Amino acid sequence: MITNEKQYRSARAAIERFGAEMADLRNAHDGVHPALRRAQIAGLESQVAELEDQVQEYEHLQSGAVTTFEAEGLVDLPDLLIRARIARGMSQRDLGTFVGVAEQQIQRYEAERYRSASLERLAEIAAALDITVKESAQLRTAPPTETGPESAWSFPVTEMFKRGYFEDFSGSAAQARKEAAHLIPDFFRHAAYDWTQTALHRRSVRAHGNVQLAALAAWEARVSILAERRAPQVAFRKEVISHEWLDYLVRLSARDDGPKAAVEHLRASGVVLVVEPHLPGTLLDGAALHTTSNIFVVAMTLRHDRLDNFWFTLLHEVAHLRLHVAQGPYRAIFDAIESPGNSPIEDEADNFAQEALIPAAQWRRCVSRFTQTDRAVRADAAKLGIHPAIVAGRIRREANDYTLLANLVGSGQVRPQLT
């Protein structure tokens, strides 16, 4: 079974290599007996078929389409846990962070199929993956409605502790895990967070795989707390997001302090921008939401600390505020920008952001979209009055080649301004 991206890439490379070897064998004229050649080809075909099955399973799990994992008995539990992790879109590092152990420990557990793991650890892993195990395992599609000792394991308590989510708690990480059944409800009460089924219907998630919803709820609650502390002086009205307002926002990108200036532009219009790294199991870029006290928020994780990603994500979330949150029906929308949209509201926000950053009529006149050179990108950006990273990012997305123009996308230039 393929358990991580490194193994996945190796398997894909091996398939290509074996394919080339088979082609060479079929075309060779070196005097080798045909029966021996057929045996060599058959051996390679068998290896390719096995690898293709493993790759297909890994890709199917990652797609988010799988939520149920059948097991014949406890002997199948280790593979079930591995498959559930992949289906959650969680890396081995994410799971380690979630339960408070090193990534290497998760790798060892999975390599030996959890033979050295205690029953308590297995239960903790299952809770972190938020699965219910009966005759089969089912990914839960809503956060726990109660927070007793068992359901508290569904939250990344150690990571929440490290980030200071439990502000009135002065104990250690180990003590936080022991007291999670009390700390988690107190945290959500502080955030005035509503995770009832009614509230969940007013949330939309665009993400890789099946998001760990308890972790997502904790992240949203933390964002809400931070937003309340930075409440703007004016109330947000969706009408303020006009063509002129957007044009001014985009042109701020040309400044060296563009992201910082964007925060102030939003704040002056009644929108708080909060930066909070994603929690393990969520893998988000940003979100648009409004709190229970009606504060409108753009939240960003800076998962990719690049200017091109910052500006596209920002405009995407502004679109959600204007089109889908301020006038309903959603209270919160969460986004992993690189994952497929697969919904009208995501297509609408993608198109809104793209048009606001570089209108289609102007993009058609950009030489850089064809030449893809540094000089052309800088020249087009100067004509448009925007940062070259925005042009470079557009070219990379349309070409689906993220190795292009890597020196122009502003790597490492966002976080120092906003954190």
Side-chain angles (χ1 to χ4, degrees):
M1 180 193 299
I2 294 174
T3 63
N4 56 47
E5 283 295 307
K6 182 178 180 180
Q7 293 175 359
Y8 172 71
R9 291 192 297 270
S10 296
R12 293 291 300 268
I15 290 171
E16 292 184 11
R17 186 172 66 253
F18 291 154
E21 290 180 16
M22 286 190 290
D24 290 343
L25 285 170
R26 291 188 178 102
N27 297 325
H29 301 285
D30 52 8
V32 174
H33 193 281
L36 177 58
R37 193 181 310 284
R38 285 195 297 272
Q40 291 174 317
I41 292 173
L44 289 172
E45 286 176 338
S46 176
Q47 292 182 67
V48 168
E50 183 177 350
L51 286 171
E52 285 179 338
D53 286 344
Q54 293 182 27
V55 165
Q56 185 177 12
E57 179 191 33
Y58 188 77
E59 291 175 341
H60 188 46
L61 289 169
Q62 280 196 317
S63 72
V66 184
T67 59
T68 300
F69 311 90
E70 299 297 334
E72 296 296 328
L74 285 177
V75 70
D76 295 328
L77 180 60
D79 285 353
L80 183 151
L81 292 176
I82 296 170
R83 290 188 173 97
R85 174 184 61 75
I86 297 168
R88 277 291 183 205
M90 295 173 71
S91 67
Q92 291 167 325
R93 175 178 294 180
D94 288 336
L95 182 56
T97 301
F98 209 109
V99 300
V101 302
E103 176 185 6
Q104 291 78 7
Q105 181 61 64
I106 299 298
Q107 290 174 345
R108 283 193 290 271
Y109 279 150
E110 295 190 349
E112 65 184 21
R113 294 303 187 262
Y114 284 97
R115 281 193 296 271
S116 64
S118 66
L119 180 60
E120 182 179 10
R121 178 66 82 193
L122 289 171
E124 193 175 7
I125 294 288
L129 296 171
D130 208 10
I131 60 176
T132 56
V133 182
K134 297 177 182 178
E135 291 81 7
S136 61
Q138 179 74 43
L139 294 179
R140 196 173 359 233
T141 56
T145 55
E146 298 178 359
T147 312
E150 182 177 347
S151 62
W153 279 351
S154 298
F155 293 88
V157 176
T158 301
E159 185 66 14
M160 293 169 70
F161 167 81
K162 289 178 180 178
R163 296 191 191 183
Y165 281 25
F166 310 126
E167 296 179 348
D168 297 328
F169 178 72
S170 58
S172 64
Q175 290 170 326
R177 293 183 64 76
K178 290 180 180 178
E179 298 183 31
H182 304 292
L183 291 175
I184 295 292
D186 287 347
F187 168 71
F188 281 106
R189 278 193 291 271
H190 183 202
Y193 182 85
D194 181 12
W195 64 2
T196 63
Q197 287 298 325
T198 300
L200 287 172
H201 289 315
R202 299 192 63 198
R203 289 172 169 82
S204 174
V205 182
R206 170 185 183 175
H208 303 275
N210 294 283
V211 169
Q212 214 284 6
L213 290 175
L216 183 66
W219 184 83
E220 183 188 357
R222 179 62 172 175
V223 166
S224 297
I225 290 172
L226 296 177
E228 296 284 349
R229 293 175 181 169
R230 306 169 193 173
Q233 299 299 310
V234 298
F236 172 71
R237 296 179 300 104
K238 61 185 179 65
E239 292 78 16
V240 76
I241 302 180
S242 62
H243 177 78
E244 293 74 22
W245 187 93
L246 287 168
D247 185 62
Y248 181 81
L249 174 62
V250 171
R251 288 181 180 278
L252 290 175
S253 69
R255 293 171 42 170
D256 291 338
D257 65 343
K260 185 177 180 180
V263 172
E264 295 306 316
H265 181 54
L266 265 65
R267 184 175 182 80
S269 305
V271 178
V272 180
L273 192 150
V274 173
V275 173
E276 177 65 21
H278 71 279
L279 285 170
T282 58
L283 209 63
L284 299 175
D285 291 300
L289 57 101
H290 67 93
T291 69
T292 53
S293 59
N294 217 36
I295 295 175
F296 286 80
V297 185
V298 167
M300 301 185 74
T301 68
L302 302 188
R303 182 166 66 98
H304 301 297
D305 183 5
R306 303 192 317 262
L307 286 171
D308 69 314
N309 184 266
F310 170 81
W311 288 106
F312 187 85
T313 302
L314 176 62
L315 270 294
H316 183 96
E317 304 309 339
V318 165
H320 279 318
L321 280 187
R322 174 67 174 82
L323 303 173
H324 311 124
V325 175
Q327 61 190 28
Y330 295 99
R331 176 176 289 276
I333 301 174
F334 306 93
D335 292 297
I337 296 297
E338 295 169 0
S339 65
N342 295 331
S343 77
I345 67 168
E346 291 302 336
D347 291 342
E348 197 171 12
D350 281 344
N351 293 335
F352 180 106
Q354 185 167 282
E355 187 67 14
L357 290 167
I358 309 177
Q362 296 182 27
W363 183 237
R364 285 193 291 269
R365 296 195 293 270
C366 287
V367 174
S368 60
R369 60 189 293 227
F370 303 108
T371 63
Q372 299 181 350
T373 64
D374 289 21
R375 182 176 180 180
V377 167
R378 294 182 189 278
D380 283 337
K383 292 176 185 176
L384 294 168
I386 60 178
H387 197 282
I390 295 175
V391 179
R394 177 78 172 263
I395 291 171
R396 284 153 60 101
R397 279 193 301 275
E398 292 193 353
N400 194 29
D401 184 351
Y402 292 90
T403 64
L404 293 172
L405 305 167
N407 62 316
L408 293 182
V409 293
S411 296
Q413 296 182 32
V414 182
R415 188 171 283 114
Q417 296 189 43
L418 300 186
T419 57

